[in-house]
Amino acid sequence: MNTAATAAPDLGAAMNASIDQAPILHAVDVTKSFTQDGTPTQALKGVSLSVAPGEFVSIVGRSGSGKSTFLSVLSTLLRPDSGQLTYNGFDLTTASEADIDGLRHRDFAVIFQFHYLLPYLTALENTLLPFMRGLKPVSRAQKERARECLERVGLADKGHRLPGQLSGGEQQRVAIARALVKDAQILFADEPTGSLDSATGSTVMELLSQIHKDGLSVVMVTHNEQYASLSDRVVRMADGLVV
Ligand SMILES: Nc1ncnc2c1ncn2[C@@H]1O[C@H](COP(=O)(O)OP(=O)(O)OP(=O)(O)O)[C@@H](O)[C@H]1O
Ligand SMILES: [Mg+2]
Protein backbone atom coordinates (compact mmCIF):
# COMPACT_ATOMS: atom_id res chain seq x y z
CA MET A 1 0.00 0.00 0.00
CA ASN A 2 3.00 2.22 -0.08
CA THR A 3 3.35 3.89 -3.43
CA ALA A 4 4.36 7.20 -1.85
CA ALA A 5 7.11 5.65 0.23
CA THR A 6 8.84 4.49 -2.94
CA ALA A 7 8.79 8.00 -4.42
CA ALA A 8 12.30 9.30 -3.77
CA PRO A 9 12.46 12.82 -2.34
CA ASP A 10 13.47 14.12 -5.72
CA LEU A 11 12.63 17.66 -6.64
CA GLY A 12 11.76 16.84 -10.26
CA ALA A 13 9.44 14.00 -9.32
CA ALA A 14 7.67 16.15 -6.76
CA MET A 15 7.19 19.01 -9.16
CA ASN A 16 5.81 16.67 -11.81
CA ALA A 17 3.27 15.09 -9.50
CA SER A 18 0.08 14.85 -11.47
CA ILE A 19 -3.40 13.55 -11.04
CA ASP A 20 -2.50 10.78 -13.52
CA GLN A 21 -0.84 9.01 -10.61
CA ALA A 22 -2.87 6.99 -8.13
CA PRO A 23 -3.79 9.40 -5.35
CA ILE A 24 -1.98 9.20 -2.04
CA LEU A 25 -5.17 10.40 -0.35
CA HIS A 26 -8.68 10.09 -1.71
CA ALA A 27 -11.88 11.30 -0.04
CA VAL A 28 -15.26 10.64 -1.62
CA ASP A 29 -18.54 12.24 -0.56
CA VAL A 30 -17.52 12.73 3.05
CA THR A 31 -20.09 14.04 5.54
CA LYS A 32 -19.67 15.10 9.14
CA SER A 33 -22.07 16.76 11.55
CA PHE A 34 -21.74 17.99 15.11
CA THR A 35 -24.41 18.44 17.73
CA GLN A 36 -23.81 21.26 20.14
CA ASP A 37 -26.40 22.14 22.82
CA GLY A 38 -28.95 20.00 21.02
CA THR A 39 -28.48 21.85 17.71
CA PRO A 40 -26.97 19.83 14.84
CA THR A 41 -24.59 21.46 12.34
CA GLN A 42 -23.72 19.66 9.17
CA ALA A 43 -20.12 20.81 8.79
CA LEU A 44 -19.43 18.63 5.73
CA LYS A 45 -22.24 17.90 3.31
CA GLY A 46 -20.50 15.50 0.93
CA VAL A 47 -16.98 16.61 0.00
CA SER A 48 -14.50 14.84 -2.23
CA LEU A 49 -10.80 15.43 -2.81
CA SER A 50 -7.91 13.54 -4.37
CA VAL A 51 -4.34 14.38 -3.50
CA ALA A 52 -1.63 13.09 -5.84
CA PRO A 53 1.73 11.96 -4.42
CA GLY A 54 3.90 15.03 -3.97
CA GLU A 55 1.03 17.43 -4.61
CA PHE A 56 0.49 20.62 -2.59
CA VAL A 57 -3.23 21.38 -2.22
CA SER A 58 -4.62 24.46 -0.46
CA ILE A 59 -8.13 24.61 0.96
CA VAL A 60 -9.63 28.10 1.19
CA GLY A 61 -13.07 29.40 2.13
CA ARG A 62 -14.91 31.60 4.58
CA SER A 63 -14.94 31.05 8.29
CA GLY A 64 -17.25 28.18 9.18
CA SER A 65 -17.23 26.68 5.68
CA GLY A 66 -15.87 23.37 7.02
CA LYS A 67 -12.16 23.62 6.17
CA SER A 68 -10.79 22.51 9.55
CA THR A 69 -13.38 19.76 9.83
CA PHE A 70 -12.38 18.48 6.40
CA LEU A 71 -8.68 18.62 7.27
CA SER A 72 -9.38 16.74 10.51
CA VAL A 73 -11.23 14.03 8.59
CA LEU A 74 -8.46 13.83 5.96
CA SER A 75 -5.80 13.52 8.66
CA THR A 76 -7.90 10.91 10.56
CA LEU A 77 -8.25 13.06 13.67
CA LEU A 78 -12.01 12.85 13.11
CA ARG A 79 -14.02 9.96 11.69
CA PRO A 80 -16.51 10.93 8.97
CA ASP A 81 -20.21 10.08 9.41
CA SER A 82 -20.35 8.74 5.87
CA GLY A 83 -18.32 8.67 2.68
CA GLN A 84 -14.99 7.04 1.99
CA LEU A 85 -11.39 7.92 2.76
CA THR A 86 -8.46 5.96 1.38
CA TYR A 87 -4.72 6.39 1.88
CA ASN A 88 -2.59 4.73 -0.81
CA GLY A 89 -5.59 2.56 -1.57
CA PHE A 90 -6.07 1.52 2.07
CA ASP A 91 -9.63 2.12 3.27
CA LEU A 92 -9.46 4.28 6.38
CA THR A 93 -13.22 4.36 6.90
CA THR A 94 -13.34 0.67 7.78
CA ALA A 95 -9.86 0.36 9.34
CA SER A 96 -9.44 -0.36 13.03
CA GLU A 97 -8.49 2.41 15.44
CA ALA A 98 -5.14 0.63 16.02
CA ASP A 99 -4.34 0.49 12.29
CA ILE A 100 -5.26 4.14 11.83
CA ASP A 101 -3.21 5.13 14.84
CA GLY A 102 -0.16 3.29 13.51
CA LEU A 103 -0.53 4.77 10.05
CA ARG A 104 -1.06 8.27 11.35
CA HIS A 105 2.01 7.95 13.54
CA ARG A 106 4.17 6.68 10.67
CA ASP A 107 3.04 8.65 7.65
CA PHE A 108 1.05 11.72 8.71
CA ALA A 109 2.30 15.01 10.11
CA VAL A 110 -0.01 17.76 11.32
CA ILE A 111 0.64 21.39 12.17
CA PHE A 112 -1.89 23.88 13.48
CA GLN A 113 -2.35 27.62 13.76
CA PHE A 114 -1.14 27.41 17.35
CA HIS A 115 1.93 25.27 17.57
CA TYR A 116 1.10 23.19 20.68
CA LEU A 117 4.69 22.96 21.85
CA LEU A 118 5.14 21.74 25.39
CA PRO A 119 6.33 24.77 27.35
CA TYR A 120 8.63 22.90 29.73
CA LEU A 121 10.52 21.03 27.01
CA THR A 122 13.31 22.59 24.93
CA ALA A 123 12.98 23.07 21.16
CA LEU A 124 15.05 19.91 20.64
CA GLU A 125 12.93 17.88 23.07
CA ASN A 126 9.73 19.15 21.44
CA THR A 127 11.12 18.08 18.07
CA LEU A 128 11.82 14.63 19.52
CA LEU A 129 8.25 14.17 20.81
CA PRO A 130 7.05 11.94 17.94
CA PHE A 131 9.76 9.45 18.94
CA MET A 132 8.64 9.40 22.54
CA ARG A 133 6.13 6.59 22.53
CA GLY A 134 5.97 4.23 25.43
CA LEU A 135 9.02 3.84 27.62
CA LYS A 136 11.66 3.39 24.96
CA PRO A 137 14.41 6.02 25.34
CA VAL A 138 15.18 8.09 22.25
CA SER A 139 18.22 6.89 20.37
CA ARG A 140 21.29 8.81 19.38
CA ALA A 141 20.18 8.55 15.73
CA GLN A 142 16.77 10.02 16.59
CA LYS A 143 18.44 12.92 18.39
CA GLU A 144 20.65 13.47 15.38
CA ARG A 145 17.57 13.42 13.15
CA ALA A 146 15.84 16.00 15.39
CA ARG A 147 18.92 18.24 15.21
CA GLU A 148 18.90 17.95 11.41
CA CYS A 149 15.23 18.98 11.34
CA LEU A 150 15.90 21.98 13.57
CA GLU A 151 18.73 22.92 11.25
CA ARG A 152 16.38 22.51 8.30
CA VAL A 153 14.01 25.11 9.79
CA GLY A 154 16.91 27.45 10.59
CA LEU A 155 17.04 26.84 14.33
CA ALA A 156 20.25 24.83 14.67
CA ASP A 157 21.54 27.14 17.39
CA LYS A 158 18.30 27.33 19.40
CA GLY A 159 17.59 23.70 20.24
CA HIS A 160 18.29 24.28 23.93
CA ARG A 161 15.72 27.08 24.29
CA LEU A 162 12.25 26.69 25.79
CA PRO A 163 9.28 27.77 23.60
CA GLY A 164 8.81 30.86 25.79
CA GLN A 165 12.32 31.96 24.79
CA LEU A 166 11.48 31.82 21.07
CA SER A 167 9.48 34.17 18.84
CA GLY A 168 6.09 33.08 17.47
CA GLY A 169 7.62 32.32 14.06
CA GLU A 170 10.43 30.33 15.65
CA GLN A 171 7.91 28.35 17.71
CA GLN A 172 5.98 27.52 14.55
CA ARG A 173 9.24 26.43 12.91
CA VAL A 174 9.89 24.08 15.84
CA ALA A 175 6.40 22.66 15.23
CA ILE A 176 7.38 22.12 11.58
CA ALA A 177 10.64 20.44 12.65
CA ARG A 178 8.59 18.17 14.91
CA ALA A 179 6.31 17.38 11.97
CA LEU A 180 9.32 16.53 9.76
CA VAL A 181 11.24 14.42 12.21
CA LYS A 182 9.42 11.18 11.40
CA ASP A 183 9.83 11.35 7.64
CA ALA A 184 6.09 11.54 7.06
CA GLN A 185 4.52 11.12 3.61
CA ILE A 186 1.88 13.81 3.92
CA LEU A 187 1.73 17.03 5.90
CA PHE A 188 -1.59 18.55 7.00
CA ALA A 189 -1.45 22.21 8.03
CA ASP A 190 -4.40 24.15 9.42
CA GLU A 191 -3.67 27.87 9.01
CA PRO A 192 0.02 27.44 9.82
CA THR A 193 0.59 31.18 9.38
CA GLY A 194 -2.66 32.26 11.03
CA SER A 195 -1.09 33.56 14.23
CA LEU A 196 1.99 35.13 12.61
CA ASP A 197 2.66 38.59 11.20
CA SER A 198 3.03 38.73 7.44
CA ALA A 199 6.86 38.70 7.31
CA THR A 200 7.08 35.73 9.68
CA GLY A 201 4.19 34.05 7.87
CA SER A 202 6.07 34.38 4.58
CA THR A 203 9.15 32.72 6.09
CA VAL A 204 7.05 29.82 7.33
CA MET A 205 5.37 29.53 3.90
CA GLU A 206 8.74 29.51 2.13
CA LEU A 207 9.77 26.69 4.40
CA LEU A 208 6.60 24.71 3.63
CA SER A 209 7.18 25.24 -0.12
CA GLN A 210 10.73 23.94 0.18
CA ILE A 211 9.59 20.92 2.15
CA HIS A 212 6.99 20.23 -0.51
CA LYS A 213 9.63 20.49 -3.24
CA ASP A 214 11.62 17.83 -1.39
CA GLY A 215 8.75 15.45 -2.10
CA LEU A 216 6.24 15.73 0.74
CA SER A 217 2.54 15.91 -0.12
CA VAL A 218 0.91 18.88 1.62
CA VAL A 219 -2.71 19.77 2.36
CA MET A 220 -2.99 23.26 3.83
CA VAL A 221 -5.96 25.28 5.02
CA THR A 222 -5.39 29.01 4.69
CA HIS A 223 -7.24 32.32 4.57
CA ASN A 224 -4.39 33.86 2.63
CA GLU A 225 -4.92 33.79 -1.16
CA GLN A 226 -1.30 34.70 -1.78
CA TYR A 227 -0.08 31.70 0.19
CA ALA A 228 -2.70 29.49 -1.44
CA SER A 229 -1.32 30.50 -4.84
CA LEU A 230 2.02 28.90 -3.89
CA SER A 231 0.34 25.50 -3.96
CA ASP A 232 -0.27 23.27 -7.00
CA ARG A 233 -4.04 23.48 -6.63
CA VAL A 234 -6.58 25.55 -4.70
CA VAL A 235 -9.80 23.93 -3.47
CA ARG A 236 -12.58 26.29 -2.39
CA MET A 237 -15.14 25.41 0.25
CA ALA A 238 -18.44 27.09 1.04
CA ASP A 239 -21.07 25.95 3.49
CA GLY A 240 -19.79 22.40 3.91
CA LEU A 241 -19.20 21.79 0.21
CA VAL A 242 -16.30 22.00 -2.24
CA VAL A 243 -17.31 24.62 -4.80
N1 LIG B 1 -16.44 20.29 17.61
C1 LIG B 1 -17.46 20.94 17.10
N2 LIG B 1 -18.68 20.95 17.70
C2 LIG B 1 -19.72 21.61 17.17
N3 LIG B 1 -19.69 22.29 16.02
C3 LIG B 1 -18.51 22.33 15.36
C4 LIG B 1 -17.35 21.67 15.87
N4 LIG B 1 -16.33 21.88 14.99
C5 LIG B 1 -16.83 22.64 14.00
N5 LIG B 1 -18.15 22.91 14.22
C6 LIG B 1 -19.03 23.67 13.32
O1 LIG B 1 -18.87 23.15 12.01
C7 LIG B 1 -18.82 24.20 11.04
C8 LIG B 1 -17.51 24.15 10.29
O2 LIG B 1 -16.45 24.46 11.18
P1 LIG B 1 -14.93 24.45 10.76
O3 LIG B 1 -14.14 24.63 11.99
O4 LIG B 1 -14.65 23.25 9.94
O5 LIG B 1 -14.85 25.77 9.83
P2 LIG B 1 -13.60 26.51 9.17
O6 LIG B 1 -13.88 26.64 7.72
O7 LIG B 1 -12.34 25.82 9.57
O8 LIG B 1 -13.68 27.96 9.84
P3 LIG B 1 -12.48 28.97 10.26
O9 LIG B 1 -11.99 29.56 8.98
O10 LIG B 1 -13.19 29.98 11.13
O11 LIG B 1 -11.45 28.20 11.00
C9 LIG B 1 -19.05 25.48 11.82
O12 LIG B 1 -20.41 25.80 11.76
C10 LIG B 1 -18.64 25.12 13.24
O13 LIG B 1 -19.34 25.89 14.18
MG1 LIG C 1 -10.69 26.40 10.78
Side-chain angles (χ1 to χ4, degrees), residues 116-136:
Y116 298 114
L117 300 179
L118 296 181
Y120 48 86
L121 294 183
T122 65
L124 181 65
E125 288 163 346
N126 267 288
T127 307
L128 278 164
L129 274 176
F131 293 134
M132 295 181 190
R133 283 195 125 197
L135 296 171
K136 227 172 124 198

Side-chain angles (χ1 to χ4, degrees), residues 5 9 18 38 41 80 83 86 111 114 123 126 165 182 192 205-206 209 220:
S18 83
T41 306
T86 54
I111 55 176
F114 302 100
N126 267 288
Q165 299 166 329
K182 289 182 310 188
M205 271 316 298
E206 265 167 41
S209 291
M220 175 181 76

Side-chain angles (χ1 to χ4, degrees), residues 32-37 39-44 59-72 78 113 190-191 221-223 237 239-240:
K32 180 76 192 173
S33 55
F34 299 102
T35 301
Q36 186 78 44
D37 307 322
T39 315
T41 306
Q42 194 162 13
L44 300 177
I59 302 176
V60 300
R62 296 176 69 161
S63 180
S65 56
K67 304 180 298 295
S68 294
T69 306
F70 195 25
L71 200 76
S72 296
L78 275 181
Q113 176 172 0
D190 194 351
E191 304 203 35
V221 167
T222 181
H223 274 117
M237 289 189 68
D239 199 20

Side-chain angles (χ1 to χ4, degrees), residues 15-223:
M15 306 267 286
N16 291 332
S18 83
I19 47 171
D20 299 339
Q21 289 172 271
I24 180 169
L25 193 69
H26 190 53
V28 183
D29 218 11
V30 164
T31 69
K32 180 76 192 173
S33 55
F34 299 102
T35 301
Q36 186 78 44
D37 307 322
T39 315
T41 306
Q42 194 162 13
L44 300 177
K45 297 176 179 166
V47 279
S48 301
L49 178 70
S50 259
V51 181
E55 194 180 19
F56 185 166
V57 178
S58 296
I59 302 176
V60 300
R62 296 176 69 161
S63 180
S65 56
K67 304 180 298 295
S68 294
T69 306
F70 195 25
L71 200 76
S72 296
V73 168
L74 292 172
S75 59
T76 69
L77 298 175
L78 275 181
R79 286 245 184 192
D81 296 337
S82 68
Q84 206 194 21
L85 180 67
T86 54
Y87 172 71
N88 280 329
F90 178 66
D91 188 347
L92 296 175
T93 29
T94 53
S96 71
E97 213 50 64
D99 280 350
I100 291 180
D101 194 48
L103 178 107
R104 187 197 300 128
H105 184 70
R106 195 191 64 204
D107 283 7
F108 290 8
V110 188
I111 55 176
F112 301 95
Q113 176 172 0
F114 302 100
H115 47 71
Y116 298 114
L117 300 179
L118 296 181
Y120 48 86
L121 294 183
T122 65
L124 181 65
E125 288 163 346
N126 267 288
T127 307
L128 278 164
L129 274 176
F131 293 134
M132 295 181 190
R133 283 195 125 197
L135 296 171
K136 227 172 124 198
V138 294
S139 67
R140 192 181 285 246
Q142 288 171 328
K143 263 195 194 156
E144 196 42 49
R145 169 79 186 153
R147 282 205 192 89
E148 274 168 30
C149 290
L150 279 178
E151 190 176 333
R152 181 74 217 277
V153 302
L155 293 175
D157 54 338
K158 293 184 177 162
H160 60 288
R161 293 215 200 165
L162 295 172
Q165 299 166 329
L166 297 169
S167 73
E170 288 170 341
Q171 292 178 34
Q172 190 60 295
R173 284 191 274 151
V174 175
I176 294 172
R178 181 180 57 189
L180 294 178
V181 79
K182 289 182 310 188
D183 223 1
Q185 298 297 318
I186 182 159
L187 173 72
F188 300 93
D190 194 351
E191 304 203 35
T193 60
S195 61
L196 305 174
D197 65 55
S198 65
T200 318
S202 298
T203 315
V204 165
M205 271 316 298
E206 265 167 41
L207 187 59
L208 288 181
S209 291
Q210 279 169 20
I211 291 165
H212 159 245
K213 285 180 186 144
D214 289 344
L216 198 70
S217 309
V218 181
V219 184
M220 175 181 76
V221 167
T222 181
H223 274 117

